[in-house]
């Protein structure tokens, strides 16, 4: 493979251009590392998407350090495992700040993130959320003051995207199954709001705690209410419990939802009962264009394994590059939380990422990098996630920009 077409060369082209503009500063800087915090569920029930998140982050850091990091200073990851538990996450967040990280990438669980946001906000340490999608996370603080950024698709755009698809298909009698975590609570509100925009109300709402394994009685109630589709909002094995319950009671209606329906807990846990499930996606692991093929090739080369939960890995990878592009906009080399916040709000160069083409992804008025036009509908088929519509596969040839 030629240097021009090597996956790493493609991924680093823009970064190299920025680095080339700062040679004198680079020579003047000490070789001390830039500490970047990482926090997520790397063990426990949510590790099926926490692990690929970390792998995507590490892949990007290796690439960036290979070309000099920030002005000759390598990125150094300081990693904390939140185990998908709010109290553990809070302790980890406090420890990252105490360790002197200049920014942090992290959180996969909305409820875990919610408990820790104030730690980063009060310490003026920018947090980029590459995984958790609960709408309230980037709405807690006024945008101009907020140190909380995100490059995952918030549920306020995922829920309407899926609901619009349901209406188009004629599935308008919706039963919502949402867990009682912060993620389920926020997602339920977003689905209800999306339905209301079409003058619709759910025909049934079921709430359940994490860990539930049998929802057959609740599914029978939804069936008796006349539902013709189940919209599930949970992140773990409970999605599979819903699918398996539908199978067990012989209720052949579709299951739809946000991105957790692409997780192994669902696909492997429900097997044939998962077939045909539909979900919002920002990235599907198919080499639909050059940069996505490059990322998939680099991931396989580094980790030597199949990529599970591709969205988590790709968004983690992109988050590191967004952080680095922001750093390279700080031309005097003086790094602090406030200067990095301002730099993230004013990233000087387009980053041609895996999930999106990031042109001004953040501002002092908007801390969410992804918009609805970047979503596609995924479908479980033969135990994997692919495009639900041929037109989405064609549209995916062009990486979308923020609208």
């Amino acid at each position: 493979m030629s240097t021009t077409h090597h996956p790493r060369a493609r991924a680093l082209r823009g970064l190299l251009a920025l680095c080339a503009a700062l040679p004198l500063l680079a020579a003047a800087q000490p070789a001390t590392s830039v500490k970047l915090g990482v926090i997520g569920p790397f063990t426990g029930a949510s590790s099926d998407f926490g692990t690929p998140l970390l792998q995507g982050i590490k892949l990007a850091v290796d690439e960036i350090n290979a070309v000099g990091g920030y002005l000759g200073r390598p990125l150094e990851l300081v990693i904390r495992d939140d185990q998908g538990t709010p109290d553990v996450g809070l302790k980890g967040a406090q420890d990252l700040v105490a360790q002197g990280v200049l920014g942090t990438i992290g959180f996969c669980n909305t409820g875990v993130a919610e408990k820790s946001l104030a730690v980063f906000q009060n310490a003026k340490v920018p947090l980029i959320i590459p995984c958790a999608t609960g709408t309230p996370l980037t709405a807690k603080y006024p945008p101009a003051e907020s140190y909380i950024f995100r490059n995952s698709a918030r549920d306020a755009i995922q829920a309407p995207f899926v609901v619009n698809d349901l209406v188009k298909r004629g599935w308008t009698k919706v039963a919502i199954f949402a867990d009682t975590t912060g993620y389920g609570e926020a997602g339920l509100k977003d689905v209800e709001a999306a339905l209301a925009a079409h003058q619709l109300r759910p025909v049934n709402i079921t709430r359940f705690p994490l860990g539930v394994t049998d929802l057959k009685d609740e599914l029978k109630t939804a069936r008796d209410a006349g539902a013709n589709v189940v919209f599930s909002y949970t992140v773990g094995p409970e999605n599979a419990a819903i699918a398996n319950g539908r199978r067990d009671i012989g209720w052949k209606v579709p299951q739809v939802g946000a991105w957790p329906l692409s997780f192994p807990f669902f696909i492997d846990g429900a097997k044939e009962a998962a077939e045909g499930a539909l979900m919002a996606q920002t990235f599907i692991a198919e080499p639909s264009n050059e940069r996505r093929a490059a990322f998939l090739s680099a991931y396989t080369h580094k980790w030597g394994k199949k990529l599970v939960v591709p969205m988590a890995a790709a968004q983690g990878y992109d988050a590191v590059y967004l952080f680095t592009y922001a750093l390279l906009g700080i031309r005097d080399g003086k790094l602090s939380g406030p200067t990095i916040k301002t730099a993230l709000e004013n990233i000087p160069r387009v980053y041609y990422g895996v999930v999106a083409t990031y042109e001004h992804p953040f501002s002092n008025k908007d801390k969410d990098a992804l918009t609805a036009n970047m979503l596609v509908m995924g479908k479980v088929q033969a135990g994997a996630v692919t495009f639900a519509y041929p037109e989405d596969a064609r549209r995916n040839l062009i990486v979308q920009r923020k609208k």
Side-chain angles (χ1 to χ4, degrees), residues 93-171:
Q94 292 167 336
D95 191 43
L96 287 173
V97 169
Q99 292 294 320
V101 298
L102 288 166
T104 291
I105 296 172
F107 295 114
C108 285
N109 305 88
T110 295
V112 180
E114 282 179 325
K115 192 155 189 175
S116 295
L117 294 183
V119 173
F120 298 100
Q121 182 70 18
N122 293 340
K124 297 184 177 180
V125 173
L127 169 69
I128 303 177
I129 301 172
C131 200
T133 58
T135 300
L137 296 181
T138 45
K140 183 172 182 178
Y141 304 105
E145 302 169 14
S146 180
Y147 280 75
I148 312 302
F149 299 78
R150 172 163 50 192
N151 70 309
S152 58
R154 66 192 186 279
D155 292 318
I157 62 174
Q158 288 196 61
F161 179 77
V162 176
V163 167
N164 290 345
D165 186 68
L166 302 186
V167 171
K168 181 173 68 175
R169 292 172 181 264
W171 301 339

Side-chain angles (χ1 to χ4, degrees), residues 10 27 67 97 108 138 145 151 170 181 185 215 225 238 244 248 343 352 387 395:
R10 286 197 293 267
V67 295
V97 169
C108 285
T138 45
E145 302 169 14
N151 70 309
T181 67
E185 181 68 26
L215 288 164
E238 297 78 18
N244 290 329
D248 292 345
Y352 295 94
F387 294 99
R395 185 168 65 89

Side-chain angles (χ1 to χ4, degrees), residues 261-287:
L261 290 181
S262 66
F263 293 3
F265 265 137
F266 174 64
I267 296 174
D268 296 341
K271 295 185 170 59
E272 71 279 0
E275 286 291 302
L278 299 167
M279 80 296 294
Q281 295 279 274
T282 62
F283 173 66
I284 290 175
E286 296 184 12

Side-chain angles (χ1 to χ4, degrees), residues 187-367:
L188 171 61
K189 291 178 180 177
D190 286 328
V191 176
E192 288 182 299
L195 288 171
H198 291 276
Q199 290 77 52
L200 296 173
R201 294 170 57 90
V203 299
N204 177 262
I205 297 174
T206 298
R207 305 299 306 278
F208 54 87
L210 294 184
V212 66
T213 58
D214 186 349
L215 288 164
K216 289 192 289 290
D217 288 342
E218 292 83 356
L219 287 160
K220 289 176 182 176
T221 299
R223 179 189 61 189
D224 294 345
N228 62 5
V229 62
V230 173
F231 200 130
S232 57
Y233 241 100
T234 188
V235 297
E238 297 78 18
N239 270 322
I242 294 167
N244 290 329
R246 287 189 300 104
R247 178 201 61 207
D248 292 345
I249 68 173
W251 190 27
K252 296 182 179 180
V253 296
Q255 184 170 344
V256 304
W259 73 300
L261 290 181
S262 66
F263 293 3
F265 265 137
F266 174 64
I267 296 174
D268 296 341
K271 295 185 170 59
E272 71 279 0
E275 286 291 302
L278 299 167
M279 80 296 294
Q281 295 279 274
T282 62
F283 173 66
I284 290 175
E286 296 184 12
S288 53
N289 57 48
E290 184 183 27
R291 75 180 79 158
R292 287 170 174 160
F295 168 73
L296 292 170
S297 175
Y299 180 94
T300 301
H301 179 76
K302 180 171 178 62
W303 299 108
K305 60 181 69 175
K306 177 184 176 183
L307 174 54
V308 297
V309 194
M311 279 177 58
Q315 289 168 185
Y317 178 92
D318 281 354
V320 177
Y321 271 95
L322 289 171
F323 178 79
T324 305
Y325 269 53
L327 292 186
L328 291 168
I330 303 172
R331 303 181 70 86
D332 62 4
K334 297 177 181 178
L335 303 183
S336 68
T339 61
I340 295 172
K341 171 186 178 293
T342 299
L344 282 165
E345 295 167 347
N346 298 277
I347 292 177
R349 191 181 182 95
V350 176
Y351 164 50
Y352 295 94
V354 178
V355 170
T357 295
Y358 299 92
E359 184 175 16
H360 306 302
F362 306 117
S363 72
N364 66 353
K365 297 179 181 179
D366 184 4
K367 295 301 193 288

Side-chain angles (χ1 to χ4, degrees), residues 13-46:
R13 194 174 296 142
L15 185 63
L16 284 168
L18 278 175
C19 291
L22 304 171
L24 295 178
L25 278 174
Q29 296 303 310
T32 55
S33 62
V34 175
K35 288 186 178 181
L36 175 62
V38 177
I39 186 166
F42 308 129
T43 60
S46 293

